[in-house]
Amino acid sequence: MKKILITGGAGFIGSHVVRRFVNNYPEYQIFNLDALTYAGNLENIKDIEKEPNYTFVKGDITDESFIETLFQNQQFDGVIHLAAESHVDRSIEDPLAFVKTNVIGTMNLLNAAKKQWLGNFDGKRFYHVSTDEVYGSLGAEGLFTETTAYDPNSPYSASKASSDHFVRAYGETYGLPYVITNCSNNYGPYHFPEKLIPLFINNIINNKPLPVYGDGNYTRDWLFVKDHAVAIDLVFHDGKNHETYNIGGFNEWKNIDLVTVLCQIMDQKLGRTTGESAQLITYVKDRPGHDLRYAIDASKINTQLGWKPSVTFEQGLEITIDWYLNNQDWLNNVTSGAYASYYEKQYS
Ligand code: NAD
Ligand code: DAU
């Protein structure tokens, strides 16, 4: 039986990855390590918590001795590392928190894996989940490829870039068998409502302003989260060691166009008159260092591993909106407590 450590499995993307691995690989023992920060929520994986091949471990990847002991005790065969501080706006407020988790936390995992595996790397794999933001910002043309130079602009993307470099360095220096993926913006169920799509769905439901940063002409490439989980599964099993794969949705949207479509769908779902939700759109102060455009060239993973998104944006958005409308208890739970003071500070 293979033992796989998945970090950050109580978060947005991690919960979809954990669910997929627990359900699809009964022959694996899946360990979900998560510190349960504001972004981690055991509700996200409630449906699989009693499965015999699943174990939840509450712990912090910044705790070096805890991580070393966990590796010594469990002797993992593979690591899929998603735990991170993930929100750009929060990184502008508190960059050091991002260095601690995203850089030091990744280092602790790398050191523990190296210590356990050095001398026999057979069948071992360290999978580091990263972001397209490490490449910086595109102008109106072009796509990020696996050879695009790193050029991070936010404390978040700088911390992810740093962790990517360390993973690669451990591969070159110690021979650690690693893979890295750099993915574009995800959306879907269990997305914490500080990020654009779930924040705006929640605000539309509650008739609150929709704070569009700057002129709204910033562009992102959106991918349905379950398609990211499929890609992670493929790369974990079939990707080549010491390689990077870009993952994207072939699906670019200017923020203001996306928000307009979201408002139209929400009007229909909530029985509002056409244009009612769009009246909530409010242009607010721009994000400092705001990257203009991200867009991924996902042809490598497409041609080498046969991956492509399975749902269109229209389908994915419909599934997502329906999920939030049917899970308002989840929304209310995660937006109580500390969320209110975060929101007040960010948007007042
Ligand atoms: P998230 O913020 O929803 O979840 C992060 C999880 O990590 C949470 O469960 C949190 O409790 C846990 N965590 C945070 N600090 C920890 C620590 N010190 N120790 C242990 N656990 C800790 O993030 P997400 O959006 O699901 O992103 C997951 C990963 O994917 C991140 O590495 C992120 O950089 C990357 N990524 C995200 C996107 C996206 O669009 N969301 C796109 C590309 C890549
Ligand atoms: O590209 C991958 C990245 O996508 C991931 O690595 C990050 O973890 C993830 O958070 C996401 O980063 P973004 O900064 O692109 O996502 P966010 O949802 O915060 O913002 C998307 C766009 O919407 C961006 O141009 C900023 C804008 N925005 C965001 C918020 C929260 C607004 O206009 N208003 C808002 O209130």
Side-chain angles (χ1 to χ4, degrees), residues 3 30 36 80 94 134 169 197 199-200 216 221 238 254 278 297:
K3 280 190 178 182
I30 303 299
L36 299 180
I80 306 177
D94 185 8
V134 297
I197 291 182
L199 173 74
F200 279 34
D221 172 359
D238 300 337
K254 280 192 174 159
D297 176 353

Side-chain angles (χ1 to χ4, degrees), residues 7-8 35 37 59-63 81-86 94-109 128 156 159-160 163:
T7 70
T37 68
D60 193 326
I61 58 170
T62 67
D63 184 341
H81 174 36
L82 296 108
E85 288 292 341
S86 68
D94 185 8
L96 198 54
F98 284 67
V99 176
K100 285 179 183 157
T101 287
N102 299 358
V103 186
I104 308 287
T106 302
M107 287 296 293
N108 288 337
L109 292 166
H128 180 60
Y156 163 68
S159 69
K160 291 296 291 188
S163 62

Side-chain angles (χ1 to χ4, degrees), residues 321-333:
I321 291 170
D322 285 344
W323 186 86
Y324 280 96
L325 290 173
N326 292 329
N327 289 276
Q328 290 191 42
D329 283 350
W330 182 91
L331 256 182
N332 293 337
N333 287 342

Side-chain angles (χ1 to χ4, degrees), residues 86 131-133 156 185 196 211 213 220 255 287 290 347:
S86 68
T131 169
D132 61 357
E133 299 203 13
Y156 163 68
N185 287 62
L196 182 76
Y213 294 161
R220 298 291 183 265
N255 292 342
R287 171 185 280 175
H290 199 166
Y347 294 107

Side-chain angles (χ1 to χ4, degrees), residues 158-210:
S159 69
K160 291 296 291 188
S162 171
S163 62
D164 292 11
H165 289 321
F166 275 112
V167 173
R168 211 169 270 128
Y170 272 55
E172 291 303 313
T173 308
Y174 308 110
L176 188 88
Y178 77 85
V179 281
I180 299 175
T181 49
N182 297 86
C183 187
S184 64
N185 287 62
N186 285 215
Y187 69 96
Y190 302 110
H191 203 184
F192 193 80
E194 63 185 353
K195 311 279 170 67
L196 182 76
I197 291 182
L199 173 74
F200 279 34
I201 292 174
N202 189 36
N203 284 13
I204 292 170
I205 293 172
N206 293 298
N207 265 307
K208 285 172 68 177
L210 306 178

